[in-house]
């Protein structure tokens, strides 16, 4: 199994920045994709960004050019740098990993609130 602990959410004004972190423990050697999703009240959970073990990165159109996903060299921590934040970015952000046997693991979520 893999355990995920997120940090870095909070309240920020529009145009500001936040950096989310997600530390993985357990069977980190089994992870082949890491990513971030978000869910706003009354909306479905949606993809924000993913990074595969080989380095391929995917972003939602709504965050391209503003958000950057990265990971540390050991691959145990994945980051989401969020710049030029907008009120519509407000949501609970969830870290997730996909492992080679097909299971997705999720963090507990961290709240991001962007005030106008």
């Amino acid at each position: 199994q893999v355990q995920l602990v997120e940090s870095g959410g909070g309240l920020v004004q529009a145009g500001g920045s936040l950096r989310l972190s997600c530390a993985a423990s357990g069977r980190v050697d089994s992870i082949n994709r890491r990513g971030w999703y978000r869910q706003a009240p009354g909306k479905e959970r949606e993809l924000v960004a993913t990074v595969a073990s080989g380095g391929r990165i995917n972003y939602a159109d709504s965050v391209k050019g503003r958000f950057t996903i990265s990971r540390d060299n050991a691959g145990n921590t994945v980051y989401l740098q969020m710049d030029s934040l907008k009120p519509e970015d407000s949501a609970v952000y969830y870290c997730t990993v996909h492992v080679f046997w097909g299971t997705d693991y999720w963090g507990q979520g961290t709240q991001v609130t962007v005030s106008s």
Side-chain angles (χ1 to χ4, degrees):
Q1 290 200 358
V2 178
Q3 296 78 40
L4 302 172
V5 178
E6 300 146 339
S7 60
L11 173 64
V12 65
Q13 289 187 334
S17 298
L18 283 174
R19 189 191 196 204
L20 305 183
S21 300
C22 176
S25 60
R27 287 290 310 274
V28 295
D29 59 316
S30 65
I31 297 172
N32 55 27
R33 188 174 66 246
R34 298 164 173 81
W36 293 92
Y37 282 67
R38 66 186 181 187
Q39 187 168 19
K43 296 187 177 182
E44 292 187 356
R45 191 172 296 189
E46 63 176 4
L47 168 75
V48 177
T50 60
V51 55
S53 296
R56 181 173 182 176
I57 291 176
N58 182 46
Y59 292 104
D61 288 343
S62 59
V63 306
K64 282 181 181 176
R66 300 188 299 121
F67 290 11
T68 303
I69 189 170
S70 63
R71 57 186 182 181
D72 65 358
N73 289 335
N76 294 341
T77 302
V78 63
Y79 305 96
L80 185 68
Q81 177 67 40
M82 304 185 294
D83 299 317
S84 302
L85 282 160
K86 305 175 181 179
E88 51 264 41
D89 294 318
S90 297
V92 177
Y93 283 69
Y94 295 91
C95 173
T96 183
V97 299
H98 183 80
V99 298
F100 69 81
W101 61 81
T103 302
D104 292 321
Y105 294 93
W106 295 86
Q108 79 282 3
T110 185
Q111 178 70 48
V112 171
T113 303
V114 184
S115 62
S116 57

